[in-house]
Amino acid sequence: MAEQARWTRARLGRCGPSLDLLTARFQRHVYAPHAHEEFTIGVCVGGTEIIDYRGGHIRTGPGSIVVLEPGEMHTGGPATGSDGYAYRALYADPALLREGTTGTPHFREPLLDDPELTAALRVTHAELATCPDPLEAESRLPWLLTALTRRHSTARATLDLVPGADRVALAVRDRLADELLAPPSLADLAADLGLSRYQLLRAFRTTMGVPPYAWLAQHRVSRARGLLEAGLRPAEVAPLVGFADQAHLTRWFRRVLGVTPAAYRNSVQDGRG
């Protein structure tokens, strides 16, 4: 196992705050005692790591979630006799863990067993580390961090009822469709509607069946189809409908239609012949 570490900075909304993601795989590396200003939320994906924390030792394994609170000194290194460890971590401002809850979150137990949330965090981390789209990051990370706080911290959940959820969702949908090249942040949209970001996300997901970034991606795919049918190449189409690049377009095109944009364009052109 080679020593590897890669940082990715995701932005929560086009002009919003940033959040760092770490993808790491270590065989021998041992962290010196240190602390972070943010919550450190890690998911072990391989091997075993020993973390010194709060006067004790945390022993992680694949599938476990570790939550380290801001200002808490800790270390990290491979377990004795192990082949190393691999994990995914994100560093979240405390405010992100207060959305959808009341009170300051405190995690009495740093090691959590929650397979559903582990899987969601791992997939979200991997996809955002590959393509840190601002709307996608803002749609997914606050939602998951609220779930983490509600399930495992001392903070209490706020009421989930959003009056006029259908109206809220349609207003957000229309703004995203109108500004698909540079969509507004969900925080700004929520403020315009007199809601919290979590309330907006809940209203949208309940009404539309998907989070805002997924709806917009499907809308962009629909727009891309027309441009591909007109003869434009995928690399030309991607920026015209708001995707970061051709790879981003291809990922969503395959998710929605099951084929690549190039294959779709070729089939449409062949059909015309």
Side-chain angles (χ1 to χ4, degrees), residues 157-198:
T158 56
L159 294 177
D160 284 338
L161 181 64
V162 181
D166 292 354
R167 172 185 55 79
V168 169
L170 294 178
V172 173
R173 180 201 66 183
D174 291 346
R175 282 288 302 277
L176 295 177
D178 289 343
E179 302 176 46
L180 84 167
L181 295 183
S185 75
L186 300 181
D188 288 344
L189 290 175
D192 291 345
L193 294 166
L195 301 171
S196 71
R197 179 166 50 192
Y198 181 77

Side-chain angles (χ1 to χ4, degrees), residues 12-24:
L12 301 177
R14 182 159 50 95
C15 299
S18 62
L19 183 149
D20 287 335
L21 307 167
L22 172 64
T23 303

Side-chain angles (χ1 to χ4, degrees), residues 47-237:
T48 304
E49 181 185 11
I50 302 296
I51 301 170
D52 294 336
Y53 184 69
R54 291 179 179 168
H57 305 290
I58 305 170
R59 185 183 182 91
T60 72
S64 60
I65 300 174
V66 175
V67 180
L68 308 178
E69 297 196 348
E72 294 272 11
M73 297 295 293
H74 59 279
T75 66
T80 301
S82 75
D83 292 327
Y85 58 103
Y87 67 99
R88 310 286 183 266
L90 59 87
Y91 302 87
D93 186 280
L96 281 173
L97 279 79
R98 291 195 291 266
E99 295 192 16
T101 62
T102 58
T104 300
H106 171 59
F107 293 81
R108 294 192 180 98
E109 298 296 330
L111 188 62
L112 309 177
D113 180 20
D114 189 328
E116 180 186 25
L117 191 55
T118 297
L121 284 168
R122 182 172 179 174
V123 170
T124 298
H125 188 290
E127 294 184 352
L128 289 177
T130 301
C131 182
D133 177 78
L135 182 65
E136 183 172 358
E138 194 180 18
S139 295
R140 299 176 75 169
L141 290 173
W143 185 263
L144 289 177
L145 293 174
T146 295
L148 176 74
T149 304
R150 287 183 166 196
R151 294 184 188 185
H152 299 289
S153 84
T154 57
R156 294 190 299 172
T158 56
L159 294 177
D160 284 338
L161 181 64
V162 181
D166 292 354
R167 172 185 55 79
V168 169
L170 294 178
V172 173
R173 180 201 66 183
D174 291 346
R175 282 288 302 277
L176 295 177
D178 289 343
E179 302 176 46
L180 84 167
L181 295 183
S185 75
L186 300 181
D188 288 344
L189 290 175
D192 291 345
L193 294 166
L195 301 171
S196 71
R197 179 166 50 192
Y198 181 77
Q199 288 176 314
L200 182 149
L201 282 167
R202 185 165 186 84
F204 197 95
R205 291 171 70 111
T206 300
T207 303
M208 308 302 294
V210 293
Y213 82 93
W215 182 88
L216 182 59
Q218 294 181 47
H219 181 67
R220 286 168 167 167
V221 167
S222 296
R223 295 284 296 271
R225 289 179 65 181
L227 297 175
L228 292 167
E229 290 169 9
L232 274 69
R233 299 190 307 274
E236 297 173 309
V237 169

